[in-house]
């Protein structure tokens, strides 16, 4: 199973952009890159996902490297509510296990 | 839609007792899975299912059984509870095997 590597923690100031990196050097051609976040005492929630092209939605943007071996989740203006653990995972199109790594704990300073 | 529901929200068991954690989804999702999350840790996959009648093991399957007799339900059975199974358990489902994963609210289990 392809694995992802993320920094354990990152800090940001409120209303500044945040770039959360993820390395996935063993990604296969059919793996989707998914990002989830988990707020304290809650279950994980979906943020964004993509295959090859950069993606935007109302929560965030996902920038995917041309060789797909890394990606970056971009929060354009961090708020205190964005403080959470962010997980980057690879989702096989044809099913199978969905393994979570340790994630990046993002703290946001006012 | 209720989404993914889990019952109970909280449970205390004595060592050796058995119980079933319930998970149901009303979104006609093919894929369902169970994770456990220990304090300060990430999620670890216990078992998963890609459709009714099909289940497979995840990273930490020992001590747990699952079955998938319907699309909607995916119960997790603890055969003989141990203190090491004290954790928060999350059920998740997705439409199609590559789709967005939807999580339930979790069941907090304590085994004494």
């Amino acid at each position: 199973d392809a694995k992802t590597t993320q920094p354990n923690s990152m800090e940001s100031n409120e209303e500044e952009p945040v770039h959360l990196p993820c390395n996935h050097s063993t990604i296969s051609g059919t793996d989707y890159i998914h990002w989830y976040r988990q707020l304290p005492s809650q279950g994980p929630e979906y943020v964004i996902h993509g295959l090859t092209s950069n993606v935007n939605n109302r929560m965030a943007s996902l920038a995917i490297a041309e060789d797909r071996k890394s990606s970056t989740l971009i929060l354009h203006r961090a708020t205190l509510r964005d403080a959470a653990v962010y997980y980057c995972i690879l989702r096989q199109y044809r099913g199978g296990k969905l393994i979570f790594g340790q994630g990046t704990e993002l703290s946001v300073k006012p | 839609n209720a989404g993914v529901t889990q019952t109970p929200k909280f449970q205390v068991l004595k060592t050796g007792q058995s119980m079933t954690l319930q998970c149901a989804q009303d979104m006609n999702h093919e894929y369902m899975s169970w994770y456990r999350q220990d304090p300060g840790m990430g999620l670890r996959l216990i078992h998963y299912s890609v459709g009714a009648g099909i289940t497979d093991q995840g990273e930490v399957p020992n001590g747990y059984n699952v079955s998938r007799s319907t699309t909607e339900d995916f119960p997790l059975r603890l055969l003989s509870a141990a203190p090491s199974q004290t954790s928060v358990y999350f059920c998740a489902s997705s439409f199609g095997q590559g789709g967005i994963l939807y999580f339930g609210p979790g069941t907090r289990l304590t085994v004494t």
Side-chain angles (χ1 to χ4, degrees):
Chain A
D1 301 315
K3 296 184 76 169
T4 63
T5 305
Q6 298 176 253
N8 288 336
S9 62
M10 290 184 66
E11 252 186 18
S12 172
N13 294 318
E14 197 175 12
E15 298 193 4
E16 289 186 356
V18 182
H19 291 233
L20 297 165
C22 181
N23 287 322
H24 28 78
S25 57
T26 59
I27 190 170
S28 73
T30 55
D31 285 342
Y32 282 81
I33 301 160
H34 283 235
W35 283 83
Y36 292 80
R37 72 179 186 181
Q38 187 174 23
L39 295 131
S41 301
Q42 294 188 26
E45 64 175 350
Y46 168 79
V47 177
I48 200 166
H49 78 289
L51 184 62
T52 56
S53 305
N54 294 344
V55 185
N56 299 298
N57 66 20
R58 64 176 180 81
M59 287 181 72
S61 296
L62 176 60
I64 301 172
E66 200 169 326
D67 62 6
R68 300 206 330 123
K69 292 185 187 299
S70 65
S71 61
T72 303
L73 177 70
I74 303 164
L75 307 179
H76 295 286
R77 288 183 65 198
T79 70
L80 298 178
R81 287 191 299 268
D82 290 323
V85 178
Y86 287 79
Y87 295 98
C88 165
I89 56 177
L90 301 180
R91 187 92 211 260
Q92 297 174 14
Y93 177 73
R94 292 198 63 78
K97 303 176 189 180
L98 191 62
I99 304 294
F100 280 70
Q102 290 302 306
T104 296
E105 183 170 10
L106 175 68
S107 55
V108 180
K109 295 186 293 184
Chain B
N1 287 348
V4 180
T5 57
Q6 292 183 237
T7 55
K9 284 190 167 53
F10 300 94
Q11 183 70 49
V12 179
L13 289 179
K14 293 188 188 311
T15 298
Q17 287 184 316
S18 62
M19 81 159 294
T20 299
L21 307 185
Q22 301 292 345
C23 174
Q25 51 86 14
D26 60 358
M27 298 173 282
N28 201 30
H29 284 175
E30 296 172 351
Y31 182 94
M32 296 186 74
S33 55
W34 278 101
Y35 292 87
R36 60 175 288 174
Q37 186 170 36
D38 299 328
M41 305 283 288
L43 294 100
R44 290 186 292 170
L45 180 66
I46 305 172
H47 285 284
Y48 67 101
S49 168
V50 298
I54 306 168
T55 64
D56 207 345
Q57 296 182 348
E59 305 170 90
V60 288
N62 292 340
Y64 306 95
N65 271 359
V66 292
S67 60
R68 184 95 181 269
S69 55
T70 67
T71 299
E72 293 78 20
D73 299 297
F74 191 45
L76 178 72
R77 296 183 190 85
L78 279 70
L79 308 172
S80 176
S84 61
Q85 293 178 305
T86 293
S87 191
V88 180
Y89 291 83
F90 291 103
C91 179
S93 72
S94 69
F95 181 73
Q97 297 173 25
I100 297 168
L101 209 56
Y102 294 85
F103 283 83
T107 294
R108 187 173 296 273
L109 175 69
T110 301
V111 183
T112 61

